[in-house]
Structure formats: C-alpha cells, structure tokens
Amino acid sequence: MDREFYTISVYVDKDENLIGIPCGDSDKYGIADIDTVMLLKAPYTDSALENYINKVLDACYTKKHNDNVETSTIERYTKKKGFVNATKDFTMISIVKTRTNYSLMPTFNDYEKGPLAIDDDEHILLLNHKPGEMAEVIRGFIEVYLKANMFYKEKAELEAEKEKKQND
C-alpha cells in the first residue's frame, strides 16, 4: 500500500445493485472521484461483494480526476444534472482504506442536500478482517439506510401531496 489512504463511494440503488467510484489525485481538489465506474449487479454473494469492494479500491489513483469537467462522475453516469439530483435515488456508502483498517460510513440521503454522512454509524474493520465481515456491515447499511431512505422519500411525497390538497 503506497498511499496513506484510498477512498471510494459506493452507490446502492433500490434493487441493491452497486455503483462504485474510486478516487484519484486532483490538481484542483487534492483528491476526487475519477472517471471510472464499476458495477455489481444483485444478487451477489458475500465473497463477490468483498471482492468487488477491493477491486474498486484497487482502481483508486489509476488515473487523475478530470479537473476540466464541472460535473461529478455520478452525474455523468446517471445523466442527471446536479449532485443532489444524481444521487437522490441511491444510498451512498463511503469506504476508506488506510494502512491499518477500513472505515465504512453510511449516508442518509437528504433530498435537499444529498448524501449526509452518519458518523455515529461508522464501522472500523481491520485489514485482516474475517471473510464475510465487511459484507455483513455493508448489507446492514443497505437494510437500514436504503429502507429508511425509501420511507423518508415516501413520507416527503405524502406530505407534499397533503399540502397541495390543502392549498387547492
């Protein structure tokens, strides 16, 4: 491991398919997402999930961030304008690999601000964690945050519909 850390963003859709985007050097930002998108279609085994995460981490720093493009990698991938709009249908998990461990951090999707990190639910795993341990954490995040985001979105839509009826 020749870098202090490697960081990836993993976006999870409603069907639990994964979109992984690694980081790279950026003259403008220091470190930012690169123009590499890696997919893992559901269903997948724990082993396939953990291999996928390591494959996305291995892609970090394989190219530089494109500082000449104003849009993010996820915006270009989804073909949606604006980061909040591009990420609204996903739950994002941030994964950082250091020389000693992995930090896995879920986000809650705020429909005005986009993904917000849930610091209280950060999970730290040692580099030599047991097989299946990382998959268990990720599947737990998917269960809690993907389902919670869907509930939050439905609740917001019902509130907006109720308000519209009251105003008509």
Side-chain angles (χ1 to χ4, degrees):
M1 185 168 170
D2 58 338
R3 302 275 183 155
E4 289 296 313
F5 69 92
Y6 298 76
T7 182
I8 64 173
S9 299
V10 178
Y11 296 91
V12 187
D13 72 14
K14 65 179 177 48
D15 297 320
E16 299 184 23
N17 298 309
L18 305 180
I19 302 164
I21 302 175
C23 73
D25 289 320
S26 166
D27 295 330
K28 193 173 184 180
Y29 304 107
I31 295 171
D33 289 348
I34 60 174
D35 290 337
T36 298
V37 176
M38 302 172 117
L39 306 174
L40 180 65
K41 296 279 187 187
Y44 35 81
T45 63
D46 288 353
S47 177
L49 174 56
E50 291 182 353
N51 288 337
Y52 164 78
I53 295 299
N54 286 316
K55 184 177 164 189
V56 179
L57 283 162
D58 288 344
C60 288
Y61 304 105
T62 56
K63 56 173 98 167
K64 287 184 79 168
H65 171 73
N66 187 347
D67 289 338
N68 299 322
V69 178
E70 293 297 317
T71 56
S72 65
T73 305
I74 194 68
E75 287 173 86
R76 290 189 302 283
Y77 176 77
T78 61
K79 297 177 177 47
K80 293 182 179 179
K81 190 172 181 156
F83 183 74
V84 172
N85 193 37
T87 58
K88 74 179 182 181
D89 294 326
F90 299 99
T91 296
M92 189 185 93
I93 300 169
S94 174
I95 300 175
V96 178
K97 180 181 179 183
T98 68
R99 294 181 189 277
T100 58
N101 62 45
Y102 295 92
S103 164
L104 292 88
M105 181 126 26
T107 64
F108 186 78
N109 199 22
D110 182 289
Y111 289 91
E112 292 178 358
K113 298 176 185 170
L116 301 175
I118 310 293
D119 297 343
D120 293 348
D121 209 1
E122 177 184 25
H123 281 62
I124 305 292
L125 295 175
L126 295 176
L127 289 184
N128 62 348
H129 61 83
K130 292 181 220 151
E133 199 172 357
M134 181 183 290
E136 183 180 337
V137 171
I138 292 170
R139 288 183 191 279
F141 288 162
I142 289 170
E143 187 64 32
V144 171
Y145 293 99
L146 182 65
K147 307 304 182 209
N149 279 344
M150 290 169 69
F151 172 77
Y152 178 68
K153 181 179 179 183
E154 288 172 8
K155 184 177 175 189
E157 288 170 352
L158 288 172
E159 295 280 332
E161 193 176 302
K162 182 179 172 185
E163 189 175 312
K164 185 179 180 218
K165 283 182 182 177
Q166 288 176 345
N167 292 337
D168 287 344

